[in-house]
Amino acid sequence: MFNIHIPRYERIWLIVGSATLVIFLGLFGFMAVGMNLNPPGHMMTIDPQAVTVTPPFNNLGVRKLGLDDYEVTMIAQMFMFQPDTINVPTGAEIRFQVTSPDVVHGLEIPGTNVNMMVIPGHITEFVYTFKEPGEYLIVCNEYCGMGHQIMMGKVNVQ
Ligand code: CUA
């Protein structure tokens, strides 16, 4: 099998390369299965044709659940966010729930780590706490068509 001559350094690189591949695939498999790490919120599904009549998306906007516990339900669609402006308090835990009735969109709030992929048929969830008051921009960061660059919203954190 190893009748062909492989130079020493090439052999070393082949071994290092294969070992790295095996280690990282193993790590990846362990994290996905053993530690149950999955992309955020892609486990919940929804009928994209019936978004506006399916709870919680039949009642969009900000809901107060507890003292420092809020839920924000939004729809990302061509080419807007609904609602396009939300008001939330500083320091509260905000659970974003977003879905799309048409194509894949993104919901990114620059300057924070809120960066969600919004896929039709799925509900994407992300929890974030705004520590600084101010006006935050919401942008779509997945190309979704002709109006992609005008698709934006605003978060007022008071
Ligand atoms: Cu929606 Cu780009």
Side-chain angles (χ1 to χ4, degrees):
M1 183 181 165
F2 278 109
N3 289 338
I4 44 162
H5 176 70
I6 301 174
R8 185 161 174 261
Y9 284 112
E10 200 162 330
R11 206 162 51 224
I12 292 172
W13 278 117
L14 276 173
I15 291 167
V16 170
S18 314
T20 313
L21 187 68
V22 169
I23 288 168
F24 280 97
L25 282 177
L27 208 59
F28 198 56
F30 173 72
M31 283 164 76
V33 180
M35 295 171 70
N36 201 22
L37 295 178
N38 292 295
H42 287 174
M43 309 306 279
M44 288 170 297
T45 56
I46 184 172
D47 177 359
Q49 250 105 56
V51 165
T52 52
V53 294
T54 309
F57 297 97
N58 56 354
N59 180 18
L60 299 174
V62 183
R63 258 185 309 279
K64 185 171 181 165
L65 302 178
L67 194 58
D68 272 323
D69 192 9
Y70 287 77
E71 191 174 74
V72 173
T73 311
M74 293 177 90
I75 295 176
Q77 66 182 86
M78 291 171 173
F79 295 102
M80 58 168 124
F81 292 100
Q82 277 196 70
D84 67 354
T85 304
I86 56 166
N87 301 298
V88 293
T90 314
E93 193 167 275
I94 318 287
R95 177 180 300 273
F96 288 91
Q97 286 187 311
V98 194
T99 193
S100 163
D102 42 47
V103 299
V104 175
H105 298 278
L107 191 160
E108 183 182 350
I109 304 178
T112 73
N113 68 344
V114 180
N115 188 345
M116 308 159 75
M117 195 181 207
V118 187
I119 303 164
H122 292 263
I123 300 170
T124 308
E125 261 194 15
F126 194 80
V127 179
Y128 188 72
T129 299
F130 292 91
K131 295 194 176 71
E132 300 287 334
E135 201 177 288
Y136 293 78
L137 190 68
I138 303 175
V139 294
C140 176
N141 63 5
E142 294 282 344
Y143 182 74
C144 51
M146 292 294 286
H148 162 70
Q149 72 286 348
I150 60 156
M151 182 167 168
M152 56 185 76
K154 204 166 70 176
V155 186
N156 290 316
V157 181
Q158 297 109 349

